[in-house]
Amino acid sequence: MALILTYLGKGGCGSTTVAIAAAKQRSRAGQRVLLVIQDVTPAPALLLGQPLGAEPAELEPNLWAMQFQAATQLEKSWDEVKTLEAQYLRTPFLKAVYGQELGVMPGMDSALALNALRQYDASDRYDVIIYDGSDATATLRMLGMPEILDWYLRRFRGVFQQSDVGRVLSPFLQPMASAVLAVDWSGDVLDQPTGQVRSQLEDGRQAVTNPSRVAAFLVTTPTAGAVATARYLWGSAQQIGLTIGGVLVNSGHLNDDQATSFAPLPQVTLPQVVEQGWESAIDALPDPAQWAAAAPRPVSVDEATKTVRLFLPSFDKTQVKLTQYGPEVTIEAGDQRRNLLLPKSLQGKAVAGAKFQEQHLVISFS
């Protein structure tokens, strides 16, 4: 299992430069590092001084790098789909469609990138994987996919089972599945086809919320727009359970008010790579694992006091909407929505109140 890191900031703040410096730092510390860059333009190769391709290539000892190419990843994923189809269906019908024919639809990039990260992580070839996305908001949506997709499967499966259509069709699904598919789906047929997917989604969700598995860092400059964007990304990251380890400042120093607005995150100012070279930036970067381990947790539950604390910096109570649906609480903040599945001890209990306290939304249950 690798530690997956990403760097979030407003466009032009130097996130790619920081990601490269971090990759060099970790590789020189003896860790096996994979740097995945989503930008397919020549710019990253110019920064690295070496060409990049669609497959990991070793740039220096312990450091591999690649440019994420959606079309190539789509072709690989399509081959996997066809393999699964041949495994479960007696007469596969996708075999006549080839991955080379497929075009990348809008929104596919994030799902393909997430799947690629999952595969590289599972390979056990790397200790650290650094993902440099082309857009910070898209990166957050990508990392939030496991939780969101798991909610859709969980929610609509229940809706279907409780509907008249579900009750009418259920007696016929098992014999029909046995006749069409090459495997026996005994028990609840609706659980079987989604079981493997649910397991992968749960693994992904747990990884994103575990700072020893996935962590992010904010990258900003002292300009007002960059600081405001970084603070927004900080709050949005909490909505997917992603730990933000600290703030990395490019092109100058934050003033006192700006620095205070990121408290309690640790902050460091990075020297300009163009002026002082890679070595100075590498030396200035902190150990990401240590910073992530000490960062505030997005969610904490106190079952004894029947409270849930959500860390929501950069948002105030007027920007947050709270709704309860059965065993879940939906929290809307900014452009992010999270469906928080409550622990069993709190399921069935109604929300008694909610208040902001030291950048936390504290929800109490009766």
Side-chain angles (χ1 to χ4, degrees):
M1 295 290 186
L3 170 62
I4 299 174
L5 301 172
T6 191
Y7 296 84
L8 307 172
K10 186 175 182 291
C13 285
S15 297
T16 298
T17 302
V18 172
I20 294 173
K24 289 177 176 288
Q25 182 212 49
R26 291 293 89 207
S27 66
R28 294 179 188 184
Q31 294 181 300
R32 300 168 300 167
V33 180
L34 173 63
L35 173 63
V36 181
I37 299 177
Q38 194 173 43
D39 182 0
V40 295
T41 70
L46 291 174
L47 275 174
L48 285 163
Q50 299 183 57
L52 294 174
E55 297 293 335
E58 190 169 10
L59 303 186
E60 56 185 66
N62 291 326
L63 175 58
W64 291 260
M66 61 175 288
Q67 282 181 304
F68 174 80
Q69 296 182 10
T72 301
Q73 294 296 331
L74 178 59
E75 186 176 332
K76 289 181 180 179
S77 298
W78 187 250
D79 288 340
E80 292 176 12
V81 170
K82 290 167 70 173
T83 300
L84 287 172
E85 183 202 35
Q87 178 183 350
Y88 288 105
L89 294 183
R90 296 184 188 278
T91 55
F93 57 89
L94 296 179
K95 62 182 180 181
V97 180
Y98 299 94
Q100 296 89 336
E101 301 177 274
L102 303 177
V104 178
M105 298 288 289
M108 279 186 178
D109 302 63
S110 294
L112 291 168
L114 184 64
N115 186 54
L117 290 177
R118 180 185 65 82
Q119 292 174 328
Y120 287 125
D121 178 42
S123 73
D124 288 330
R125 294 177 55 193
Y126 309 103
D127 302 308
V128 178
I129 299 174
I130 295 178
Y131 176 74
D132 179 50
S134 58
D135 176 79
T137 302
T139 297
L140 290 178
R141 293 200 183 282
M142 177 193 76
L143 293 174
M145 276 185 178
E147 181 170 309
I148 293 170
L149 292 176
D150 186 60
W151 179 86
Y152 273 101
L153 282 176
R154 192 172 66 244
R155 181 67 170 156
F156 283 97
R157 170 183 170 275
V159 169
F160 177 78
Q161 286 180 322
Q162 295 168 17
S163 68
D164 290 339
V165 174
R167 283 191 286 268
V168 170
L169 292 182
S170 290
F172 304 101
L173 287 178
Q174 174 59 45
M176 182 179 68
S178 298
V180 175
L181 303 174
V183 294
D184 177 26
W185 285 354
S186 56
D188 187 350
V189 69
L190 290 176
D191 281 338
Q192 299 301 323
T194 60
Q196 182 180 359
V197 175
R198 286 290 304 277
S199 177
Q200 290 183 354
L201 292 176
E202 178 62 18
D203 289 345
R205 188 188 66 79
Q206 290 184 0
V208 169
T209 58
N210 182 352
S212 65
R213 296 280 289 110
V214 182
F217 291 81
L218 302 176
V219 180
T220 187
T221 65
T223 63
V227 170
T229 299
R231 280 180 46 79
Y232 177 82
L233 294 171
W234 184 22
S236 297
Q238 309 310 297
Q239 279 288 77
I240 63 170
L242 176 63
T243 297
I244 298 293
V247 185
L248 309 174
V249 185
N250 270 325
S251 305
H253 297 267
L254 298 181
N255 62 40
D256 291 343
D257 288 341
Q258 290 173 330
T260 301
S261 70
F262 287 109
L265 292 181
Q267 303 165 32
V268 67
T269 299
L270 301 178
Q272 283 288 323
V273 170
V274 175
E275 298 173 358
Q276 302 184 37
W278 289 108
E279 299 303 324
S280 57
I282 292 169
D283 292 341
L285 282 170
D287 183 328
Q290 291 182 0
W291 273 27
R297 294 292 169 265
V299 178
S300 58
V301 179
D302 188 337
E303 296 186 48
T305 60
K306 300 178 184 178
T307 58
V308 174
R309 291 171 59 88
L310 293 99
F311 187 50
L312 290 177
S314 77
F315 295 116
D316 59 45
K317 62 182 180 181
T318 64
Q319 298 172 293
V320 177
K321 181 180 178 181
L322 192 67
T323 314
Q324 184 175 18
Y325 298 100
E328 299 178 353
V329 172
T330 300
I331 305 100
E332 294 182 54
D335 192 36
Q336 297 287 115
R337 177 179 294 155
R338 181 176 192 180
N339 295 292
L340 181 65
L341 183 62
L342 298 171
K344 290 185 178 181
S345 62
L346 297 181
Q347 292 181 11
K349 299 185 183 299
V351 172
K355 62 180 179 180
F356 264 92
Q357 188 177 47
E358 298 177 346
Q359 301 190 89
H360 286 79
L361 175 64
V362 183
I363 308 172
S364 57
F365 295 85
S366 57

